[in-house]
Amino acid sequence: MQLLKSHSSRAPGKPLVLLCPSSDPEEVADQALRALTRPPLEVFTRGGRLVRVRTDGDRAHVERLDEAGLLDMLVRRLQFVRWSSRGNHRYTYPPRELVRTILSRESWPLPQLRGVAHHPLLRPDGTIHTRQGFDLRTCFFCFPGADVPKVVENPTARDRVRALEVLDEALCDFPFVDQASRANALALLLTPVLRTAFSGPVPLFVISKPTPGTGATLLAQLAATVATGDAIVTNPPEGEEEARKAITGLLSAAQPVVVFDDVTGMHLRTLSRLLTATTWQGRLLGTHRLVQLEQLTVWVITGNNVSLGADLARRAVLVQLDAKCWRPWERTGFRHPDLLGWAREHRGELLWALLVLARSWYVAGCPPADVPAMGSFEAWARVTGGVLAHAGVEGFLRNQPRLYDELDQQHAGWPEFLAALQQAFPEPFTAKDAVLRLREDEQLARALPDALSEGTPSAKVLSEALRRRAGMRLTPDGLRVERAGRGRSGVLWQVVTDHSPQPPEDVREQRQRAGLCPGCGGPIIPGFTLCSRCTRPKAEV
């Protein structure tokens, strides 16, 4: 395939790769890869695959390199010359075998791409990277996409005041329930910018309101617009399998902010595990290959009176809105009727304000702030809470108790039911005993949680419900149900508090530690776990 016929047509500055019958294919592949590591860096590794950052107007996204993409990259970065045995030469395309060899390798001498930042990069030491391109110190590709005013090295108090005024201008039309919700909304705007400056998980942001049209979706779109220049929202996944596929696809594309809109109840274990993880392993859609990706996305859900499961509730930050009017979507008199249009126009100024607050905190020596403890998210709470406190913003995370009380409905009614059980059964009891008492004791029956109140539950249903909550403290004094051994008709349970005497140890565990059969206490058959008098013995693995 002849392209050029003379050396005079060689493109200046491009490395030359010679292809001849005696060429070592592995050496040619190494030569091509070395050329790809020269600045400007355009090819990276991510999730065990070769990727590049494709820019499209004001947006940039990560794209996996296939054969066509790598061929295009080699053509633009290198010049291939094929020599014949007669000493003739011609300029040619890279051989397809070379492209396939490079793609099939297990590793490449290329930098790891962590993600794409659609704003100036804030580094862990507080310095700011503004040039478009790959930053070796953070391993992020910087693509500002907006004209951000210069952030001075040492912001003054006046700069902080001006930055807060700019952010207040963006949030002025939202009906926040309290100062804590407003502070958490500022944290939502800050988090994507701070994400490149610290390591560790970021909690789920929950924007909840009592009535449609209050502005929860608009607030989420505002955060996404400031962070990325776009306001894309998506429907929440309906099941665990769909959630795994969606999460893998979004992380593979290095999406900085993901908004699940119009959520009523969220109980996905997949999302719960993701929020406290630093890496995610999943299977790309349409392939059988597992990829391992760093979890750097900020996740947001919106909805009317959102209900969360216990695992998600402790991993969430609450922003509550309430317009306190009928048909809030008919409101008028907003300072910015087209808020998203205003945000796109002033995106550079909004990013400047966020960077000024962050830079100011770093210059001050990163003073710690008195913020509520949030397990698994200590780094995020320390940095975000410190930036907000240094800027004079109060209320950060101060509505967490309301989040647990109002959004975690999984154990609603159980503290009252356990208190009634404790009064009815001072001694250990079985689920069968409790079911029999429920049929006779109206006060105990009235205390049944809503999930069990449709008729008298069976002993099996009640036992399973108690098992799921064994050891879980449901009140400040430690009210909980504990396993207290085994009786003739099943497991024994006892309701205790932190001030109650400890329940008796499980007899089966005592026998196992003594080397006896846990079923009856007899001698164990060598090589088995039970004695010959109990149920058919099971060989030890």
Side-chain angles (χ1 to χ4, degrees):
M1 184 182 302
Q2 185 171 348
L3 300 181
L4 303 170
K5 293 186 177 179
S6 67
H7 285 290
S8 61
S9 300
R10 178 182 172 184
K14 283 187 178 183
L16 193 67
V17 178
L18 300 179
L19 302 175
C20 60
S22 61
S23 297
D24 183 356
E26 186 173 353
E27 185 179 343
V28 173
D30 291 340
Q31 185 179 357
L33 283 171
R34 283 195 297 270
L36 294 178
T37 61
R38 296 175 58 189
L41 291 173
E42 295 182 281
V43 183
F44 313 94
T45 62
R46 178 176 170 82
R49 291 175 174 246
L50 288 179
V51 299
R52 66 177 172 182
V53 177
R54 180 180 289 276
T55 59
D56 181 16
D58 294 335
R59 291 279 296 159
H61 63 275
V62 177
E63 178 183 82
R64 181 171 65 91
L65 273 182
D66 54 12
E67 289 189 21
L70 182 56
L71 180 65
D72 171 69
M73 193 67 64
L74 292 174
V75 167
R76 290 194 293 107
R77 301 296 296 268
L78 295 162
Q79 199 155 28
F80 291 83
V81 176
R82 185 176 296 280
W83 288 85
S84 68
S85 58
R86 298 179 179 179
N88 298 325
H89 71 275
R90 58 174 178 169
Y91 294 95
T92 183
Y93 279 108
R96 185 174 298 273
E97 293 78 8
L98 171 64
V99 175
R100 291 176 176 174
T101 299
I102 294 176
L103 288 176
S104 63
R105 287 194 170 184
E106 294 184 357
S107 61
W108 304 271
L110 295 167
Q112 175 79 18
L113 178 67
R114 298 181 65 198
V116 177
H118 296 80
H119 47 75
L121 275 167
L122 182 68
R123 293 169 171 155
D125 61 358
T127 57
I128 299 174
H129 173 84
T130 58
R131 293 189 303 273
Q132 179 173 323
F134 184 73
D135 179 37
L136 288 171
R137 294 174 62 179
T138 60
C139 293
F140 272 81
F141 190 93
C142 180
F143 186 78
D147 186 12
V148 181
K150 182 180 179 180
V151 178
V152 296
E153 186 173 350
N154 295 292
T156 64
R158 180 175 296 180
D159 291 329
R160 292 198 302 272
V161 171
R162 173 57 186 159
L164 287 176
E165 289 176 350
V166 171
L167 297 175
D168 287 341
E169 187 72 14
L171 299 176
C172 63
D173 288 326
F174 291 100
F176 296 109
V177 167
D178 50 22
Q179 175 60 26
S181 291
R182 181 182 175 278
N184 292 347
L186 283 172
L188 172 58
L189 296 179
L190 266 170
T191 299
V193 173
L194 299 175
R195 196 68 183 96
T196 57
F198 70 91
S199 298
V202 168
L204 172 72
F205 283 89
V206 179
I207 308 177
S208 183
K209 80 284 191 191
T211 311
T214 304
T217 302
L218 183 61
L219 178 57
Q221 290 177 314
L222 172 66
T225 299
V226 174
T228 68
D230 208 345
I232 298 176
V233 299
T234 184
N235 294 326
E238 296 182 357
E240 301 293 345
E241 183 63 27
E242 184 180 342
R244 283 191 291 269
K245 293 178 181 178
I247 289 171
T248 302
L250 292 167
L251 292 183
S252 179
Q255 191 71 18
V257 180
V258 173
V259 180
F260 290 140
D261 190 31
D262 196 19
V263 176
T264 54
M266 183 71 79
H267 304 271
L268 292 174
R269 294 181 180 179
T270 301
L271 185 57
S272 297
R273 291 193 297 268
L274 172 72
L275 291 170
T276 52
T278 55
T279 58
W280 168 264
Q281 182 172 282
R283 198 182 307 276
L284 288 175
L285 188 62
T287 71
H288 297 285
R289 184 174 179 179
L290 290 175
V291 293
Q292 187 166 327
L293 302 164
E294 191 172 5
Q295 189 336 64
L296 296 169
T297 298
V298 180
W299 303 87
V300 186
I301 65 173
T302 71
N304 302 323
N305 295 324
V306 181
S307 172
L308 299 180
D311 289 341
L312 271 177
R314 77 169 189 86
R315 295 169 167 87
V317 173
L318 176 63
V319 178
Q320 276 190 309
L321 305 177
D322 189 358
K324 297 181 179 179
C325 66
W326 187 50
R327 294 180 179 175
W329 59 87
E330 295 181 347
R331 290 172 296 160
T332 58
F334 296 113
R335 187 180 302 181
H336 303 296
D338 181 13
L339 179 61
L340 296 183
W342 177 88
R344 292 187 188 96
E345 182 180 351
H346 295 83
R347 181 169 176 257
E349 192 175 358
L350 290 167
L351 288 171
W352 171 87
L354 296 171
L355 290 167
V356 163
L357 297 185
R359 177 63 187 167
S360 179
W361 180 68
Y362 276 98
V363 170
C366 303
D370 180 20
V371 299
M374 195 170 185
S376 302
F377 306 101
E378 294 85 357
W380 170 81
R382 177 183 63 83
V383 176
T384 308
V387 171
L388 291 174
H390 184 66
V393 178
E394 300 178 350
F396 176 62
L397 295 183
R398 295 299 174 183
N399 59 355
Q400 290 302 97
R402 186 185 309 161
L403 173 70
Y404 305 142
D405 294 341
E406 296 185 9
L407 298 186
D408 180 14
Q409 300 297 322
Q410 185 173 346
H411 306 294
W414 274 91
E416 296 78 8
F417 181 56
L418 290 188
L421 277 178
Q422 187 180 37
Q423 184 176 0
F425 295 99
E427 299 297 328
F429 61 93
T430 65
K432 183 177 180 180
D433 297 332
V435 169
L436 293 175
R437 181 67 65 87
L438 281 169
R439 296 169 181 170
E440 303 171 356
D441 190 335
E442 293 184 4
Q443 184 176 357
L444 182 62
R446 286 196 298 269
L448 267 175
D450 291 341
L452 300 175
S453 61
E454 295 182 3
T456 303
S458 66
K460 182 178 180 180
V461 170
L462 181 58
S463 180
E464 177 62 20
L466 293 172
R467 185 194 63 79
R468 289 198 304 268
R469 292 165 179 82
M472 184 180 295
R473 287 165 168 78
L474 299 177
T475 61
D477 64 349
L479 180 68
R480 63 194 182 277
V481 62
E482 295 278 7
R483 180 170 172 159
R486 176 174 289 274
R488 291 184 177 180
S489 58
V491 177
L492 290 173
W493 303 98
Q494 188 170 15
V495 179
V496 298
T497 65
D498 288 339
H499 308 293
S500 303
Q502 292 298 314
E505 189 176 18
D506 193 337
V507 176
R508 294 177 64 88
E509 294 179 0
Q510 292 178 354
R511 291 170 176 169
Q512 279 184 319
R513 279 200 297 272
L516 300 175
C517 172
C520 66
I524 297 177
I525 301 175
F528 293 84
T529 58
L530 300 174
C531 69
S532 59
R533 291 178 297 178
C534 291
T535 314
R536 178 180 299 177
K538 299 179 180 179
E540 291 181 337
V541 179

